[in-house]
Amino acid sequence: GAMPVELAAQCACPSTRPGDDLVIVGNHPALGSWDPGRSRAVLSTDGDCFPVWRLLAPLLLEPGPCADGSGGTCELTIEYKYVIRRSEHPSEIWEGQVGCEACQDGVEWQDSGAEFEPAPCALGFGAGAAPARAASNRVLRIAGDCVLALSDHFELPSACAPSVWPVCPDWAPGRVGGGSTLGSGRIRNSRNPAFELHYRAPIRLFVTPRRDGLEEVVAALCRQRYQPPGLWGHILSFADPALAAAGHLHL
């Protein structure tokens, strides 16, 4: 079957107040099945990046089975909206309920020079699954094994700017080394220096957190158990050569 889609997301929303939450709610269980209180897609912000809200870690979206009962997996269709959860007098503000003075120029990921492979994105209307107050939903249709990044604006659904990158067959959540290679081609992939710029943004979003986690584990093991000089470096290089090449692990 298909592997889970990993989703990174950011949304410009200057309508929030201190203490509020911004969540992605949709027709997928990870998005709460239209229940804001059950959604795992809770975005965060701070004084440096406000009004931009971001997921702190990629969210896994498990694909569903095909309706024909074949046992395979079909195209993943996600309908979703952004919802502000007020901290005072608990209430919710759904997209479409109020106006928002959002930035009209768009919000770029930090590495704005990277080439993105556009994912299909369209606006549609819910088929009865979403609450009636959600008049029109954002819609994503995802086919194939990939990672996906959203850059949206609260109250500006037409500004939907998803980016998708295919992943290698060995890709899996939390895996490093060969299992964290972006791109499904034998030449066009994130391990080829010729495509460094193309994959810079998704590496930062989806691969770097994995490598950071491995670094912490290896460093902790090194502190707990003595090994001949350089051995941990070889272990790290075996796990993921890019880590050893980075040269910023202090063993």
Side-chain angles (χ1 to χ4, degrees):
M3 65 184 68
V5 172
E6 294 190 38
L7 172 70
Q10 66 178 21
C11 180
C13 183
S15 296
T16 54
R17 305 169 184 168
D20 289 349
D21 287 327
L22 184 67
V23 300
I24 306 175
V25 184
N27 63 345
H28 191 279
L31 303 181
S33 299
W34 295 113
D35 181 350
R38 295 168 54 196
S39 174
R40 300 199 301 270
V42 181
L43 286 72
S44 299
T45 191
D46 56 35
D48 293 330
C49 67
F50 183 82
V52 177
W53 293 69
R54 295 187 176 98
L55 285 176
L56 295 181
L59 182 70
L60 297 182
L61 300 175
E62 295 283 351
C66 283
D68 59 11
S70 62
T73 54
C74 295
E75 178 184 82
L76 184 62
T77 300
I78 301 291
E79 295 188 29
Y80 70 100
K81 296 182 78 72
Y82 290 90
V83 178
I84 298 173
R85 294 194 305 205
R86 292 293 192 205
S87 58
E88 55 189 38
H89 308 295
S91 61
E92 300 162 354
I93 299 178
W94 291 62
E95 282 186 290
Q97 286 186 302
V98 296
C100 178
E101 297 296 328
C103 171
Q104 298 286 335
D105 296 328
V107 176
E108 297 293 336
W109 290 103
Q110 179 178 343
D111 299 298
S112 57
E115 296 179 34
F116 290 160
E117 301 170 19
C121 179
L123 295 179
F125 292 88
R133 58 189 167 186
S136 66
N137 306 324
R138 301 174 188 260
V139 179
L140 290 172
R141 295 179 177 87
I142 309 164
D145 299 330
C146 64
V147 291
L148 178 72
L150 296 176
S151 185
D152 293 326
H153 293 271
F154 194 82
E155 290 295 338
L156 288 177
S158 61
C160 179
S163 303
V164 63
W165 299 268
V167 296
C168 69
D170 294 332
W171 182 278
R175 182 174 295 180
V176 294
S180 61
T181 302
L182 293 150
S184 55
R186 299 179 63 180
I187 297 177
R188 189 181 181 89
N189 60 63
S190 59
R191 291 186 172 269
N192 186 339
F195 295 98
E196 177 183 1
L197 180 62
H198 181 86
Y199 290 106
R200 181 182 298 168
I203 285 175
R204 178 174 59 83
L205 292 170
F206 300 100
V207 179
T208 298
R210 302 178 177 199
R211 293 175 176 169
D212 290 345
L214 178 60
E215 286 185 9
E216 294 175 2
V217 171
V218 172
L221 289 173
C222 183
R223 288 190 296 268
Q224 294 174 8
R225 181 174 299 179
Y226 172 79
Q227 295 290 349
L231 179 60
W232 284 118
H234 288 296
I235 294 174
L236 198 62
S237 180
F238 175 79
D240 190 341
L243 282 173
H248 57 274
L249 178 64
H250 303 292
L251 298 177

